[in-house]
Amino acid sequence: MSDLLQVRHLSIEYASPRGIVKAVDDVTFSIGKGEIFGLAGESGCGKSTTAFGISRLLRHPAQISGGSVVLDGQELTTLSNDEFDKLRWSKISIVLQSAMNNLNPVLKISNQLIDAILAHDPSMGKEARQRAEQLMKLVDLPVDRLDSYPHELSGGMRQRVVIAMALALRPSLVIMDEPTTALDVVVQNGIIRKIVELQKEFGFSILFITHDLPLMLEMCGRIGIMYAGKLVEVASREQILQKPRHPYTQGLLNSFPSLSGPKQRLSGIPGHTPDLIRPPAGCRFCPRCSQAIQECQTLPPPLVEDAGGQIACHLYSEEGIAREQASAACERS
Amino acid sequence: MKKMLKACWNAFPGVKGKLGLVILLFFTVIALFGTWVAPYPKNFIGFDSWLPPSVSHWLGTDSYGQDVLSQMIYGTRTSFWVGILAGLITTVIGVTVGIVAGFKGGWIEESLMRIVDLFLIIPTLALMIILASFLPSMGTMSTILIIGSLSWLYMGRSIRSQTMSERQSGYVEAARMVGMKDWEIMFKEILPNITPVILANLVLVTTQAVLAEAGLSFLGLGDPTNVSWGTILALANANNAVLFHAWWWILPPGLAIAFFCFGFILIGNGILEKYRANRGNAAL
Amino acid sequence: MRYNSVYLVKRIGIALVTLYVAVTLNFLLPRLMKGDPASALASEKALGSQEVANALKAQFGLDNPSLWYQYAKYIKQLLHGNLGVSYANFPSPVADVMLKALPWTLGTVLTATLLSYLIGWLIGIRGAWKPGSLFDNSTLFSSFFLSSVPFFWIAIIFIMIFSFYLGWFPLGQAVDPAYDSFAWFDKAKSVLYHAFLPVFTLIIATLAGHILVLRNNLMRVLSEDYMLLAKAKGLRASRRKYMYGARNALLPSFTGLMTSLGHVIGGAITTEIVFSYPGVGMVTFNAILNHDFPLIQGSFLCIAISVIVCNLIADLVYPLIDPRVALN
């Protein structure tokens, strides 16, 4: 499987009255063609900011301060705005949080579907309407809903429209930022199933962002865990389910009830996310980590690639493993 | 003492708020100590008419031979007090109606807000005109009462919506749990929490009161024996000051009104901006 | 058609109730302020004739001390379009004086309101699109200043500059003295020429409010997700700005536009005095000077009715441009 998207050392920061906030710090990951890649973490960890950075939707004063984003062999960060506009929607489309106003309240659904099509291919003319009808069928909505206004549809229907809109130009990457968060569980299931079905049919890649880890484990092939602007672990679904390595990943998993396993007391993670203006000197998770060792306080752990995926934790660096073994040996003797 | 002054200074947020404060202090000093500052007595007639500005008459004289600077200084007092007192009356009514409507809800809110919506359509100035012109005699006090009792509508609406959002917060719930009476919750709990909104509104209604006073005086509905910025302008217009090139009679009163209100608006804007930044909402 | 009957009935109902309240206030307020309504409405001295005064008193029920009787009579006369007789313009009925004045005021006020709204809209959009820019800050600052200035002072300053010193416009009045001898084209020209400065004054005086409201609305709209999505869709900036942003910002301010009409008419009253423009404001001013009480009451009613009708029109137009209204 070849990579569709490669994010290398991406950093995003913005100026605030108190100082510069490093919302995303040196994040590296890649998404394969036809892969569903998940990005998880608490709110404010930078997962949405990463997505907005990739799709150049950052709101002032946030800006990319370093790193590269390569889509299909093309470097995105150096493109001019005009060049990037051509790429928008035809290559990368986005589905925003369902809790928000994704659709313009005073324009008919048809207008909002069609103007995305026409913006990139003005010659479509009447065909655009037919294309819009196809898109509605694709997400199981009646075609006559095209002439409705957003407020005349239910929340689930609206989100289906948004998904249909995202597929209008057959993009190779669809970014989904909490696409089902505000919907009730039944509607959510229907939409998630639809997304997976469409993904199988058309083979686009998805960058799926949510704080709902169980949902993510259900649909994503690989998952990246973010904490305080840093990517701390990337691993396959199976790996995360069976053997989460980073203490934060473990804590995150313990914060959700297991659907099938035996009942367990949820532990959660004590403490608060750190101040991003003055982050801890070493590992950012160190103040909340129950397994922290000495290096964690002073040395930020690098993201290391190994057989299990990527991990940024001193416990799994070579010295860390050695130290662990040493201390284990000490205890034994 | 120094500390207190410093605290007062810092209470006015931002460059805009501080600029507003300086402007207001200037007018306050003139309003309070004007009688000693003014070069000539009030309504003193006896100079030549239409004298341009000079050393003995900084702002010249008008068609009656009055010193414009002196009239301006006495006028400051009227406009200042009408603005402050009418603004206060407006605020008391507006805050009471707003908090009661927003907190009580139900039919009380419904009926109060219906009345507000209704009166918002009828132009306030027209109502003031009919009240003022049918009064047997017009004094500064009646101007204050008329303006104060008719200008609270917008404020009532704004305070109501703010109270409604406060009603949902934890501290109101807690106060209810402890068994506090409704009026205690309204005026001891909610009131202090929406003070910035009230202050911002107070500042706005004060400027409106100053402008309304000027309008009424200009229409000949002010106190005929008193002098205010509005009456000065009314006389200037009635005596064709433009045709006599008497810009010194026209510019000062208008600029005084403008700067006085501008100062208030700057302060109000500063308060609101700070409040919004602190609360992170734009529900105003 | 986007109307539904509930909305229609509700809006018309509110307008009728407001009208009724205005009429009742017009009856009650003078009686509250002053002891003797009979002498206010039908003063023998002002009318110069005992018979005329008595006839008027009978018409308005002032010969009977019962307030309810007077009220019923007053409503009945109103329904017949009788607002009494103006003292100063004797024997012209108040209604005739008002009908002559009203077109001048409505013409200038409506033109100014629409133009001011349009200009405020364009400036507000530009400011909100790049908040914190030099353009935005300077318009904000001047808006604050402009909203602190009385209408009539702006009028005096404009007359001083544009009419007196530059001589571009007439010093006052609504038409040329020789108006009646003009051909229709010159008549129209004369009306426009005289109306220009009053309208310009009203535009400048109300502009600040529109700029501030539209800028705030647009700032809120720009932070909405659909604006972000529109950008992600690769739509052109102009399309996002006007089709997506401005339209949404415009709609909530539309009802405010007509509510502001009351404010504009208030400002027009003093502005007309400065320009000696023969509208409702000038009539009111002269009525106040002459203690012409029936005329003062008449002008209040006229202003109130105009504003109520304009509001109703706005309410009926609104559902046509905002799809959300009629259904909510």
Side-chain angles (χ1 to χ4, degrees):
Chain A
M1 192 161 56
S2 59
D3 285 347
L4 173 74
L5 178 80
Q6 288 177 316
V7 177
R8 295 269 169 270
H9 307 293
L10 183 69
S11 295
I12 297 169
E13 55 189 37
Y14 57 90
S16 81
R18 285 175 49 232
I20 287 175
V21 178
K22 289 188 176 169
V24 173
D25 193 0
D26 200 11
V27 162
T28 298
F29 65 90
S30 59
I31 300 178
K33 284 207 168 90
E35 185 186 29
I36 305 185
F37 181 83
L39 210 49
E42 290 165 89
S43 50
C45 70
K47 52 194 192 310
S48 296
T49 313
T50 307
F52 287 164
I54 293 168
S55 51
R56 203 180 278 192
L57 289 174
L58 291 171
R59 283 194 171 126
H60 184 80
Q63 53 176 14
I64 294 180
S65 56
S68 83
V69 178
V70 177
L71 181 76
D72 232 354
Q74 188 176 22
E75 173 62 51
L76 297 189
T77 50
T78 52
L79 289 180
S80 73
N81 279 334
D82 281 346
E83 288 169 324
F84 201 94
D85 275 347
K86 288 200 190 93
L87 207 118
R88 287 182 194 280
W89 225 245
S90 55
K91 286 260 174 135
I92 308 178
S93 65
I94 186 160
V95 175
L96 294 167
Q97 301 196 4
S98 53
M100 302 300 171
N101 278 330
N102 264 321
L103 295 171
N104 189 327
V106 297
L107 289 181
K108 284 182 182 170
I109 303 293
S110 54
N111 284 332
Q112 305 195 43
L113 278 174
I114 289 170
D115 68 4
I117 301 170
L118 289 183
H120 294 274
D121 187 0
S123 65
M124 281 282 271
K126 278 220 175 92
E127 284 167 64
R129 169 87 192 185
Q130 289 167 1
R131 180 93 185 96
E133 287 174 5
Q134 285 170 10
L135 288 168
M136 291 294 272
K137 284 183 200 141
L138 217 53
V139 291
D140 302 332
L141 286 177
V143 169
D144 58 3
R145 286 296 190 177
L146 272 179
D147 295 312
S148 304
Y149 286 95
H151 69 271
E152 296 167 318
L153 305 181
S154 71
M157 287 165 111
R158 278 207 292 269
Q159 206 57 3
R160 278 171 192 262
V161 170
V162 175
I163 289 165
M165 203 150 79
L167 301 182
L169 301 175
R170 298 275 159 80
S172 42
L173 176 67
V174 181
I175 296 174
M176 298 192 173
D177 185 4
E178 309 266 13
T180 57
T181 306
L183 303 172
D184 67 67
V185 183
V186 179
V187 177
Q188 175 173 339
N189 273 337
I191 288 184
I192 293 292
R193 227 176 300 135
K194 193 79 223 173
I195 292 175
V196 175
E197 181 193 317
L198 290 170
Q199 191 270 336
K200 287 218 173 81
E201 190 180 337
F202 296 108
F204 50 87
S205 308
I206 300 179
L207 172 56
F208 194 86
I209 294 167
T210 182
H211 63 268
D212 183 350
L213 202 55
L215 172 67
M216 184 167 278
L217 288 167
E218 209 172 292
M219 63 182 293
C220 298
R222 272 188 323 132
I223 291 168
I225 308 284
M226 281 188 79
Y227 180 78
K230 288 264 190 196
L231 196 60
V232 294
E233 182 170 5
V234 179
S236 68
R237 167 175 63 179
E238 292 74 21
Q239 166 92 20
I240 297 251
L241 267 173
Q242 285 152 19
K243 197 171 168 287
R245 293 195 289 175
H246 198 283
Y248 178 66
T249 314
Q250 294 164 1
L252 214 53
L253 280 165
N254 281 332
S255 313
F256 289 96
S258 143
L259 284 177
S260 48
K263 273 188 189 164
Q264 267 182 323
R265 218 186 138 70
L266 296 180
S267 50
I269 308 169
H272 299 285
T273 45
D275 182 353
L276 289 181
I277 293 172
R278 275 178 290 277
C283 172
R284 293 186 176 183
F285 187 58
C286 176
R288 300 169 76 184
C289 183
S290 57
Q291 303 166 47
I293 53 179
Q294 211 167 15
E295 278 104 318
C296 300
Q297 305 223 1
T298 50
L299 213 67
L303 191 67
V304 186
E305 187 134 18
D306 59 17
Q310 289 158 280
I311 178 99
C313 181
H314 289 303
L315 294 175
Y316 301 93
S317 64
E318 273 163 37
E319 304 97 83
I321 292 166
R323 189 179 303 268
E324 211 173 9
Q325 283 166 346
S327 67
C330 274
E331 269 169 39
R332 245 177 286 144
S333 58
Chain B
M1 190 61 200
K2 228 179 180 178
K3 251 189 194 162
M4 243 176 74
L5 280 177
K6 182 134 199 194
C8 283
W9 179 249
N10 287 332
F12 291 86
V15 184
K16 280 193 240 163
K18 291 194 168 54
L19 181 61
L21 180 66
V22 171
I23 294 175
L24 278 201
L25 280 178
F26 172 73
F27 283 108
T28 314
V29 167
I30 291 182
L32 294 179
F33 306 108
T35 347
W36 291 290
V37 180
Y40 304 102
K42 183 165 145 188
N43 292 340
F44 179 78
I45 300 179
F47 306 110
D48 286 337
S49 323
W50 305 115
L51 286 178
S54 64
V55 180
S56 50
H57 301 285
W58 289 6
L59 293 176
T61 63
D62 61 16
S63 67
Y64 304 94
Q66 294 175 329
D67 179 59
V68 174
L69 178 64
S70 303
Q71 294 299 92
M72 278 296 299
I73 290 173
Y74 295 113
T76 305
R77 210 163 44 167
T78 317
S79 300
F80 181 84
W81 286 114
V82 170
I84 300 280
L85 292 178
L88 278 179
I89 296 176
T90 305
T91 306
V92 170
I93 305 178
V95 167
T96 313
V97 170
I99 291 193
V100 169
F103 182 76
K104 288 279 189 181
W107 66 269
I108 296 181
E109 176 183 18
E110 188 66 20
S111 43
L112 279 175
M113 285 305 118
R114 281 274 163 278
I115 294 174
V116 167
D117 286 344
L118 226 149
F119 276 90
L120 273 178
I121 301 180
I122 303 172
T124 322
L125 186 70
L127 270 176
M128 289 179 187
I129 288 175
I130 204 164
L131 276 177
S133 57
F134 277 87
L135 263 183
S137 72
M138 241 350 237
T140 308
M141 208 55 215
S142 23
T143 308
I144 293 173
L145 285 177
I146 287 177
I147 295 175
S149 56
L150 288 178
S151 322
W152 53 271
L153 301 161
Y154 271 109
M155 181 162 190
R157 264 229 297 230
S158 146
I159 299 291
R160 164 182 158 264
S161 61
Q162 201 58 34
T163 308
M164 278 168 65
S165 69
E166 290 297 311
R167 193 172 58 179
Q168 267 123 41
S169 22
Y171 73 90
V172 174
E173 202 54 42
R176 227 180 265 177
M177 301 284 241
V178 210
M180 279 174 88
K181 288 198 194 68
D182 275 2
W183 70 266
E184 274 183 306
I185 302 179
M186 281 191 270
F187 295 100
K188 285 191 179 165
E189 296 288 324
I190 295 181
L191 188 71
N193 274 288
I194 56 172
T195 312
V197 185
I198 295 177
L199 280 181
N201 268 294
L202 169 73
V203 159
L204 268 188
V205 294
T206 308
T207 64
Q208 276 158 17
V210 173
L211 289 172
E213 190 277 333
L216 284 179
S217 299
F218 192 73
L219 281 165
L221 290 171
D223 182 349
T225 62
N226 209 344
V227 52
S228 78
W229 295 333
T231 54
I232 298 176
L233 273 176
L235 289 179
N237 185 58
N239 292 290
N240 293 320
V242 168
L243 302 184
F244 288 90
H245 302 269
W247 52 266
W248 58 87
W249 195 8
I250 298 168
L251 288 182
L255 285 178
I257 296 173
F259 273 105
F260 188 53
C261 295
F262 189 50
F264 271 114
I265 289 180
L266 284 182
I267 291 178
N269 198 257
I271 294 176
L272 270 191
E273 263 174 19
K274 192 178 169 200
Y275 181 69
R276 277 187 197 147
N278 286 353
R279 308 258 298 209
N281 76 356
L284 297 170
Chain C
M1 209 54 199
R2 308 207 59 81
Y3 286 127
N4 75 18
S5 48
V6 179
Y7 179 84
L8 264 181
V9 170
K10 212 176 146 191
R11 290 294 131 188
I12 294 174
I14 289 176
L16 286 177
V17 172
T18 317
L19 190 63
Y20 174 74
V21 169
V23 163
T24 307
L25 282 176
N26 198 30
F27 172 81
L28 272 182
L29 288 181
R31 283 170 172 76
L32 285 176
M33 293 292 114
K34 210 174 161 154
D36 184 12
S39 72
L41 198 66
S43 152
E44 289 113 41
K45 215 167 85 202
L47 292 166
S49 142
Q50 186 74 45
E51 289 89 66
V52 179
N54 283 347
L56 262 177
K57 277 182 186 165
Q59 250 181 4
F60 282 88
L62 297 170
D63 45 1
N64 188 320
S66 157
L67 212 58
W68 289 111
Y69 180 79
Q70 292 182 5
Y71 187 49
K73 279 277 188 183
Y74 161 77
I75 300 268
K76 193 178 154 208
Q77 292 301 325
L78 266 191
L79 290 176
H80 286 99
N82 185 359
L83 299 170
V85 173
S86 162
Y87 296 170
N89 305 285
F90 186 78
S92 293
V94 169
D96 286 5
V97 178
M98 292 318 304
L99 280 181
K100 235 192 269 163
L102 203 55
W104 296 115
T105 303
L106 283 186
T108 45
V109 163
L110 289 177
T111 314
T113 306
L114 292 177
L115 286 177
S116 169
Y117 189 59
L118 192 75
I119 300 168
W121 187 65
L122 291 173
I123 296 177
I125 289 175
R126 224 190 121 183
W129 197 251
K130 289 217 169 79
S133 62
L134 183 69
F135 180 83
D136 185 41
N137 277 333
S138 44
T139 49
L140 262 189
F141 221 68
S142 24
S143 295
F144 284 145
F145 191 77
L146 265 185
S147 54
S148 323
V149 182
F151 285 62
F152 54 85
W153 188 64
I154 299 183
I156 298 177
I157 298 292
F158 280 179
I159 279 209
M160 189 161 86
I161 299 174
F162 297 112
S163 302
F164 188 62
Y165 285 118
L166 295 175
W168 292 353
F169 294 101
L171 281 163
Q173 304 298 336
V175 289
D176 198 272
Y179 180 72
D180 288 329
S181 62
F182 284 178
W184 71 269
F185 180 74
D186 288 321
K187 278 185 174 174
K189 228 167 64 181
S190 174
V191 168
L192 289 180
Y193 179 55
H194 285 76
F196 188 91
L197 263 194
V199 170
F200 189 52
T201 304
L202 291 178
I203 291 177
I204 295 298
T206 52
L207 195 55
H210 291 310
I211 292 178
L212 293 175
V213 168
L214 280 161
R215 178 181 175 278
N216 270 357
N217 282 348
L218 196 63
M219 296 274 283
R220 207 185 50 236
V221 167
L222 288 182
S223 68
E224 294 277 4
D225 275 22
Y226 53 78
M227 292 307 296
L228 197 67
L229 206 67
K231 187 175 180 189
K233 284 203 285 194
L235 302 186
R236 269 174 293 117
S238 60
R239 186 169 172 83
R240 281 186 278 133
K241 202 155 151 185
Y242 295 104
M243 272 305 276
Y244 276 63
R247 216 176 139 193
N248 277 292
L250 186 71
L251 291 174
S253 71
F254 184 76
T255 38
L257 165 70
M258 287 298 154
T259 323
S260 77
L261 213 70
H263 176 65
V264 185
I265 288 192
I269 292 177
T270 50
T271 306
E272 282 177 5
I273 297 170
V274 176
F275 286 102
S276 317
Y277 203 75
V280 177
M282 203 60 212
V283 167
T284 312
F285 182 58
N286 286 327
I288 293 170
L289 282 183
N290 297 321
H291 298 285
D292 190 346
F293 293 109
L295 197 54
I296 297 178
Q297 276 184 294
S299 81
F300 169 77
L301 213 57
C302 253
I303 294 172
I305 293 174
S306 321
V307 177
I308 292 169
V309 169
C310 287
N311 265 288
L312 182 63
I313 293 174
D315 280 340
L316 297 183
V317 171
Y318 192 34
L320 299 179
I321 53 173
D322 189 341
R324 288 164 297 183
V325 170
L327 297 131
N328 289 347

